[in-house]
Amino acid sequence: MRNVHQDNDSFLRYADGEVFGLVMLFHQQRTQEGEAKMEVMTQKLIEAALAVGGRYYLPYRLHATPEQFRRAYPQSAKFFALKRKYDPNGIFQNYFYQKYGI
């Protein structure tokens, strides 16, 4: 567990105020089955965090459902609106944008 200070710089911030963060390390099989199990567990952990008013840190693995992402990051609608404003032709994309922003 670690103390996390309020983030006033990031648009998609997970710390709107001073909070504490739980850092977890998991081992999984490097198989499709292992990945599927990790995705289910991650979604359950995200639900637990959301249930108590928390958020999750945006990882490189996109296990959160789009609905979970929107609940955790309500500012995401404005974030993606600005992305479309400044990149109307969708030149800059990644898997994150393709899953949560479209």
Side-chain angles (χ1 to χ4, degrees), residues 11-36:
F11 201 98
L12 293 177
R13 64 190 162 275
Y14 69 98
D16 282 335
E18 189 158 336
V19 297
F20 65 90
L22 301 174
V23 180
M24 295 178 244
L25 173 67
F26 301 102
H27 295 275
Q28 73 175 72
Q29 293 179 341
R30 295 181 68 160
T31 63
Q32 287 182 333
E33 180 183 0
E35 183 66 11

Side-chain angles (χ1 to χ4, degrees), residues 11-16 46-47 49-51 53-58 64-76 100:
F11 201 98
L12 293 177
R13 64 190 162 275
Y14 69 98
D16 282 335
I46 290 170
E47 280 303 318
L50 292 171
R55 290 186 176 161
Y56 66 96
Y57 183 78
L58 291 173
T65 67
E67 189 269 337
Q68 287 176 320
F69 170 75
R70 286 189 290 279
R71 285 174 39 218
Y73 291 90
Q75 69 274 44
S76 65
Y100 302 117

Side-chain angles (χ1 to χ4, degrees), residues 44-89:
K44 288 179 182 180
L45 288 169
I46 290 170
E47 280 303 318
L50 292 171
V52 295
R55 290 186 176 161
Y56 66 96
Y57 183 78
L58 291 173
Y60 65 93
R61 297 170 81 187
L62 306 176
H63 288 170
T65 67
E67 189 269 337
Q68 287 176 320
F69 170 75
R70 286 189 290 279
R71 285 174 39 218
Y73 291 90
Q75 69 274 44
S76 65
K78 185 173 181 182
F79 174 83
F80 289 122
L82 288 168
K83 194 263 189 236
R84 286 186 288 276
K85 176 182 176 181
Y86 292 107
D87 182 21
N89 296 320

